[in-house]
Amino acid sequence: MLPVALASPAVMRAELSRIVGAEHVLDAPPRSAYNHDAARRRGAEGRADAVVLPASAQEVAEVVRWCYAHDVAIVARGGGTGMMGGAVATHGGVVCSMERLRTVRELEPALWRMLPEAGVRTRDVQRLARENGLFFGPDPGAAEQSQIGGNVATNAGGPHALKYGVTGAWVAGLEVVLAPGELVEIGGWAGKDVAGYDLKSLLVGSEGTLGVITAVRLRLLPAPEATVALVVFLRTREDGCAAIGEVLAAGLRPSVLDFLDGDTLAIASGSFPAGADAAARAGMGAGADGGAEGEAGVPAQAGFALIVELDGSHADVREQHRELVRTLTGSALAVVQPRAQELWRWRDGINAAVTGVRGAKISEDVVFPLERLADGLEHFEQAAARHGLRSCAWGHGGEGNVHATVLVDGDSDAELDAAAAVGEELFASVVSRGGSVAGEHGIGWLKRGRLEGQWELRALELHEQLKRAFDPKGLLNPGTKLARYPAPSAG
Ligand SMILES: Cc1cc2nc3c(=O)[nH]c(=O)nc-3n(C[C@H](O)[C@H](O)[C@H](O)COP(=O)(O)OP(=O)(O)OC[C@H]3O[C@@H](n4cnc5c(N)ncnc54)[C@H](O)[C@@H]3O)c2cc1C
């Protein structure tokens, strides 16, 4: 049963004002930013009765307690950059925005750790780590707006997840408000802890459906001494996917091993950083006839590209660089070394460049096992073409994580229907190839029920039982991360 808000919005706002102060309880008209996240164009629309902005973990606990006592749904919200419609109140109720929980409670550079509150922006966590000689690996693309609490709640990834893991790998403990409104510490600074079930990992990636995270114990790493970022151009998808396998089989451990397919390259090649170090092209067997050596820009014959970042000590990076070139000699058209900042700016701009082609795009975050990546990409491209849509794909190749994208006219119902049909074929293909329907963006509201195709029945039932154990009234972000949709009635 979905929750029904028993209190009227006016009563709700008056009661919540007593907890957080009237100026921190907002209305949420339909066009309010709080009723949308990055899935806005895909129909994820909230209808919040109120938005509350608590200032402390204790206030979050009181808000949850009040909502739980009055059968009001509660949706935790970070920076609203989620791509699955998880941060919006699709079933009404209260949006609990964490933007005022901005304190970094502890920062211990010598112990490699930090304890930010949930509302601290991802970029600030990264910057603070860097300023103290440390490194925080997760780097999801909207770091200026996203919050560490949202990153934990979605178990966000990003390019560096290949070597350094997704956000959960950095979490030592959580402070979280659990139903019916209790502030609880889970995990801590113990260097090892195998006592009890791993509740912390259950909460990581739970997308606001099991509790509201108020602070995060993060374990950091010393910053690597040196990094080098390279772009490897290859002729075909098959060459590119084989090269990913060869790099890993050679024992190299790049910090980033991203890919762009030929269609993405074609769209983004015009803005490729021109200041590439031509000397870095030397030594590539295929370069001479690829027409690339010594020229700036994307080689004319390139049909696939890898973005590779190597890090470690200076000597280590030099050796890895040499080994990478050795490994790819014969298959790569060229290896270039743009200035790192320009390269990442170009990479970050791909989303917008792709969207600009037809005014809109629909991108699905999926994962193929590495050995099925080429075949999965080919199947996706064919499915899009069969439905009359142009497509492209890019992502985190080292993990087989693909952002499979179709370009559409957002005002054309026929194209949106075709895109939905391509999506269905894509998810079926991912599952049949042993992959996953979500690599880093979560399930949220848009992919509710998708797990049903991927998991076995008993695992689905456990997923649902865990939800009920944490949230017996079903008030924490209802409608989000449902294993099955429509959800079977609880027996
Ligand atoms: C341009 C762009 C690029 C992106 N690139 C990447 C990428 O490379 N990798 C990647 O993984 N993601 C990426 N994302 C997706 C998004 O940035 C991440 O999912 C991010 O972790 C969401 O954080 P947020 O603070 O914005 O959370 P929100 O969008 O506000 O919320 C996301 C989910 O987490 C829950 N939540 C938020 N805060 C809390 C809390 N304190 N307690 C409990 N639940 C909470 C919400 O209820 C919701 O279900 C990208 C998004 C954009 C717009």
Side-chain angles (χ1 to χ4, degrees), residues 346-361:
W346 177 70
R347 166 68 177 80
D348 288 347
I350 283 172
N351 214 18
V354 167
T355 307
V357 176
R358 303 223 46 238
K361 67 168 173 57

Side-chain angles (χ1 to χ4, degrees), residues 76 78-83 86 140-141 147 150-151 153-154 156-157 207-208 211 213 440-441 477:
T81 70
M83 292 187 150
Q147 300 174 2
N151 298 157
T154 54
E207 302 182 55
I213 297 158
E440 54 178 16
H441 295 165
N477 211 349

Side-chain angles (χ1 to χ4, degrees), residues 182-398:
E182 276 178 53
L183 192 59
V184 177
E185 281 280 350
I186 290 173
W189 291 133
K192 281 169 119 179
D193 181 1
V194 298
Y197 297 132
D198 193 352
L199 296 184
K200 177 193 72 182
S201 293
L202 266 181
L203 285 152
V204 171
S206 62
E207 302 182 55
T209 63
L210 302 184
V212 182
I213 297 158
T214 51
V216 185
R217 290 176 195 268
L218 292 175
R219 244 187 254 295
L220 307 171
L221 285 176
E225 188 178 79
T227 56
V228 61
L230 306 161
V231 181
V232 181
F233 292 110
L234 299 116
R235 280 200 173 79
T236 63
R237 173 169 50 222
E238 288 66 31
D239 287 354
C241 293
I244 293 171
E246 285 160 21
V247 168
L248 298 176
L252 286 163
R253 195 147 180 243
S255 43
V256 175
L257 187 45
D258 277 8
F259 80 93
L260 314 176
D261 77 352
D263 296 290
T264 310
L265 255 190
I267 292 165
S269 61
S271 55
F272 186 72
D277 171 5
R281 296 169 185 270
M284 304 312 301
D289 62 338
E293 280 191 8
E295 294 169 15
V298 176
Q301 295 178 12
F304 205 86
L306 303 179
I307 297 176
V308 186
E309 189 187 86
L310 307 166
D311 69 1
S313 69
H314 287 291
D316 195 25
V317 167
R318 266 196 306 275
E319 180 47 36
Q320 288 184 68
H321 191 165
R322 263 194 298 273
E323 184 58 31
L324 180 85
V325 171
R326 234 189 333 262
T327 303
L328 298 180
T329 294
S331 60
L333 286 168
V335 178
V336 301
Q337 188 178 342
R339 274 185 278 278
Q341 230 182 356
E342 290 177 20
L343 172 60
W344 288 116
R345 200 175 308 126
W346 177 70
R347 166 68 177 80
D348 288 347
I350 283 172
N351 214 18
V354 167
T355 307
V357 176
R358 303 223 46 238
K361 67 168 173 57
I362 293 181
S363 213
E364 299 291 4
D365 161 51
V366 295
V367 190
F368 292 102
L370 214 48
E371 70 279 13
R372 307 300 305 270
L373 180 59
D375 156 46
L377 288 173
E378 184 181 355
H379 180 275
F380 168 66
E381 187 182 88
Q382 288 170 352
R386 223 179 312 110
H387 288 277
L389 295 178
R390 185 171 169 191
S391 68
C392 63
W394 69 93
H396 312 303

Side-chain angles (χ1 to χ4, degrees), residues 102-174:
R102 279 279 165 85
T103 305
V104 175
R105 294 189 197 158
E106 281 182 40
L107 175 58
E108 298 274 5
L111 293 168
W112 305 355
R113 67 196 199 193
M114 190 192 300
L115 203 173
E117 289 187 336
V120 175
R121 274 190 297 252
T122 315
R123 185 69 82 221
D124 292 332
V125 172
Q126 293 167 335
R127 180 183 50 76
L128 268 174
R130 200 172 46 245
E131 287 171 359
N132 287 278
L134 296 171
F135 172 65
F136 177 63
D139 54 349
E144 294 292 348
Q145 296 94 50
S146 69
Q147 300 174 2
I148 190 64
N151 298 157
V152 173
T154 54
N155 206 0
H160 287 86
L162 173 66
K163 181 169 180 181
Y164 293 106
V166 289
T167 304
W170 298 72
V171 175
L174 295 172

